[in-house]
Amino acid sequence: MVDYPSRNAVSFATLAGMTGVAGSYMAAGYTREFLVAPIDDLVVGTTPGLIVAWMIENVGEQGHLLHIALSFVIAIGLLAGTAIVGLHIARGFERPVIGVGLSGVLAWSLTALITAEPLLAVGAAGPVTVLTAVGATPLAAPEHDPSRRRALISSVSALAFIGTAIGFRQLTADDDTAGGEPLDETTDDGIATLMQEAESKSLDIRGDVPGLVSTFEEFYNVDIAEFDPNLSPDDWSLTVTGEVGDDVTVTFDELTDMPTKHRFVTLRCVGENLNGAKLDNAVWTGTPIEPLLEEADPEGECGCAMLRAEDGYFVQFPIEALEDGFLAWGMNGRSLPQSHGHPVRVLIPGHWGETNVKWLTEIELLDEEMDGYWEQRGWHGTGPVNTVAKLWSDTVLDNGNVEVAGHAYAGTRGIERVEISTDGGSTWQDAELSEPLRGIDVWRQWRYEFEPDGSHEVVVRAIDGEGELQPEERSDAFPSGATGWVTKTVHG
Ligand SMILES: Nc1nc2c(c(=O)[nH]1)N[C@H]1C(S)=C(S)[C@@H](COP(=O)(O)O)O[C@H]1N2
Ligand SMILES: [Mo]
């Protein structure tokens, strides 16, 4: 009998785990059917709120990488576990066929159970079985130290397989996402008008600042989960339930048969830095939410509602705000892209991004207030947005002048003026402003040009539509959104 060091078994099992995960990726893509996706959901759902809040404050965006990395490690570990069991039986009990077979069956069942995709689970089970088989085969010529050579060949082959799986998916990436198709011709007219309006009202800015409508690529993204739900309009429905006279359920076809409107709506995330870029605007196509609410006839005590989504996200805020809301299935003339909530999302005018639930499936009217996903984690992000003026670009022009530019936003209060100081706040001038877009919840672009004289401390601040000056006092994004004036040192 050949002696198998257990270290060697662990190496083979790890390779089996890694190639198994790669195989699942090859079969399913970076979607919710990928083995890592449900594990990531579990990690996100079970991480205590205090840890999430701490991570957001101290680790920031990288927190996302940490939970996805952890989910990968768990997935690899689970599949490696099935290979260890197989190797143990194959080697310890000298039952290679049973051992290898068992590891394949275990890897398949586990993946099928976790992803609920029995067919795609073969993608994970295949490589696990092969690696277990290679690790289980008795050695033929010990004098060549073939165990090491085999380990090396196996590692290289495993890496090659992982590379192939990734390459294959990159080539076919387009098939992985839903949405983004052109909307019906019949609804197109109003959209074109608004797109043209945004185009013609956008200022001529030399620096790298988005126009008045952000493209799909520019529009920011905030998701609690790494993997977007993949909902087809045919499978989708929305139910208004809870403290209501009557439950109301609408299908996608019923919803899109309701009066269709096109609106500019700007979104901003409460979690972004003061001068961050999680602020964007689009033309949205959808229908007002109020008729649905009226039909359901809310009766709850608190005047509040919990909105729930396919990815497990939930947020609670006043019905009053919800009544002004919009159910959108289109964005910039196309069906809502998967990452922005395909097929239907909510847009709530003037409130922080988190109220704009993507992949919406349920509106529950409540009797008493409850925390939503982010409020459980310490945020206060369901109310109206703070006023902000962003300084997104500074550019030296051909004529030697400096151009500073950005966007300003104050939700439904609107922006009345943007003021610039080039001397650290001692004196102030008005910036050039883009004409206001139609709509009650839209940003404005600003631009200012000056003749530089050495180094300048540029400060920018907005005055909202109610004449209120943006507060100067600085605060972090956590928990109620960043405040303060954006300042930047600019050289001519
Ligand atoms: N279902 C669901 N809806 C969601 C979120 C989410 O993670 N899941 N994130 C919220 C947050 S915090 C913000 S800022 C906006 C971002 O929308 P966007 O990704 O389309 O820009 O969506 C909100 N709606
Ligand atoms: Mo957000």
Side-chain angles (χ1 to χ4, degrees):
M1 177 189 153
V2 183
D3 185 29
Y4 294 92
S6 67
R7 194 159 57 102
N8 169 287
V10 171
S11 311
F12 272 107
T14 309
L15 284 181
M18 285 164 57
T19 49
V21 169
S24 168
Y25 174 68
M26 190 150 137
Y30 209 67
T31 67
R32 311 230 6 128
E33 287 75 45
F34 179 29
L35 173 60
V36 177
I39 296 175
D40 186 62
D41 283 351
L42 199 71
V43 170
V44 169
T46 54
T47 310
L50 275 177
I51 296 183
V52 177
W54 183 89
M55 296 253 288
I56 288 165
E57 261 189 298
N58 295 283
V59 190
E61 301 276 293
Q62 280 73 35
H64 214 54
L65 289 179
L66 281 179
H67 72 73
I68 187 69
L70 179 61
S71 309
F72 264 90
V73 169
I74 293 172
I76 291 169
L78 285 174
L79 292 182
T82 67
I84 284 278
V85 171
L87 283 172
H88 187 70
I89 289 170
R91 294 171 171 191
F93 297 94
E94 299 189 53
R95 288 273 190 274
V97 175
I98 295 180
V100 171
L102 187 67
S103 74
V105 170
L106 281 178
W108 176 81
S109 335
L110 203 63
T111 310
L113 201 73
I114 292 175
T115 59
E117 290 287 337
L119 213 61
L120 296 177
V122 176
V128 171
T129 314
V130 171
L131 258 299
T132 311
V134 175
T137 316
L139 304 180
E143 66 272 17
H144 291 126
D145 194 5
S147 153
R148 284 186 68 182
R149 187 182 330 151
R150 190 177 345 182
L152 188 71
I153 292 172
S154 306
S155 306
V156 172
S157 316
L159 286 178
F161 176 74
I162 293 168
T164 309
I166 294 171
F168 170 78
R169 268 298 155 186
Q170 297 300 315
L171 288 177
T172 56
D174 272 0
D175 306 341
D176 290 351
T177 53
E181 307 289 324
L183 287 178
D184 247 350
E185 298 286 318
T186 47
T187 61
D188 221 350
D189 269 4
I191 302 168
T193 312
L194 291 188
M195 296 295 266
Q196 269 156 25
E197 175 181 338
E199 176 84 36
S200 67
K201 286 180 174 172
S202 291
L203 296 178
D204 192 10
I205 293 172
R206 180 69 70 81
D208 189 15
V209 172
L212 285 172
V213 163
S214 314
T215 61
F216 282 1
E217 291 71 38
E218 285 168 336
F219 208 105
Y220 82 91
N221 234 192
V222 177
D223 304 320
I224 57 164
E226 177 70 13
F227 299 88
D228 295 336
N230 192 356
L231 278 173
S232 92
D234 294 341
D235 300 335
W236 180 89
S237 69
L238 167 67
T239 304
V240 186
T241 183
E243 302 297 322
V244 291
D246 277 307
D247 274 15
V248 175
T249 298
V250 280
T251 64
F252 187 78
D253 282 344
E254 287 165 350
L255 188 79
T256 50
D257 274 346
M258 295 171 81
T260 301
K261 301 259 159 52
H262 312 292
R263 289 184 183 172
F264 291 115
V265 180
T266 303
L267 297 190
R268 182 183 176 206
C269 183
V270 69
E272 71 151 4
N273 299 331
L274 179 60
N275 200 30
K278 293 195 171 95
L279 167 68
D280 280 295
N281 183 57
V283 174
W284 307 88
T285 299
T287 193
I289 218 166
E290 196 171 10
L292 274 180
L293 283 178
E294 266 170 22
E295 197 183 330
D297 185 20
E299 295 172 340
E301 296 278 307
C302 64
C304 60
M306 180 72 84
L307 276 58
R308 295 181 208 277
E310 183 70 13
D311 60 342
Y313 184 77
F314 52 102
V315 61
Q316 184 243 229
F317 55 91
I319 297 177
E320 221 183 344
L322 188 63
E323 280 168 351
D324 300 332
F326 195 60
L327 292 169
W329 58 81
M331 182 177 181
N332 296 349
R334 298 184 164 256
S335 64
L336 211 53
Q338 190 170 2
S339 64
H340 295 293
H342 186 79
V344 177
R345 81 175 302 164
V346 172
L347 295 167
I348 305 293
H351 289 243
W352 290 108
E354 69 166 80
T355 60
N356 300 270
V357 178
K358 305 189 274 189
W359 313 290
L360 177 75
T361 56
E362 187 187 284
I363 297 176
E364 186 193 356
L365 284 307
L366 302 178
D367 240 344
E368 51 186 296
E369 292 194 24
M370 285 165 72
D371 280 339
Y373 178 90
W374 288 116
E375 311 335 284
Q376 281 182 353
R377 287 153 180 81
W379 289 89
H380 304 302
T382 60
V385 294
N386 299 339
T387 300
V388 73
K390 305 277 186 179
L391 202 174
W392 277 342
S393 83
D394 57 288
T395 316
V396 181
L397 304 176
D398 293 342
N399 62 7
N401 282 356
V402 168
E403 173 203 71
V404 279
H407 282 266
Y409 178 57
T412 53
R413 298 183 300 279
I415 291 289
E416 181 181 293
R417 224 163 64 231
V418 169
E419 294 181 336
I420 297 289
S421 170
T422 55
D423 53 14
S426 305
T427 59
W428 295 88
Q429 281 79 37
D430 280 354
E432 183 187 346
L433 268 186
S434 61
E435 287 298 309
L437 293 172
R438 253 179 286 178
I440 56 164
D441 181 27
V442 287
W443 64 2
R444 291 178 82 166
Q445 253 181 346
W446 67 266
R447 177 187 181 278
Y448 184 73
E449 198 178 317
F450 65 96
E451 209 177 305
D453 176 15
S455 152
H456 290 261
E457 183 79 347
V458 177
V459 191
V460 56
R461 64 186 190 189
I463 289 97
D464 74 17
E466 294 167 1
E468 198 77 39
L469 177 66
Q470 176 183 342
E472 180 178 7
E473 195 193 334
R474 288 249 175 172
S475 73
D476 287 341
F478 188 80
S480 337
T483 62
W485 298 343
V486 174
T487 304
K488 192 165 184 194
T489 308
V490 171
H491 305 277

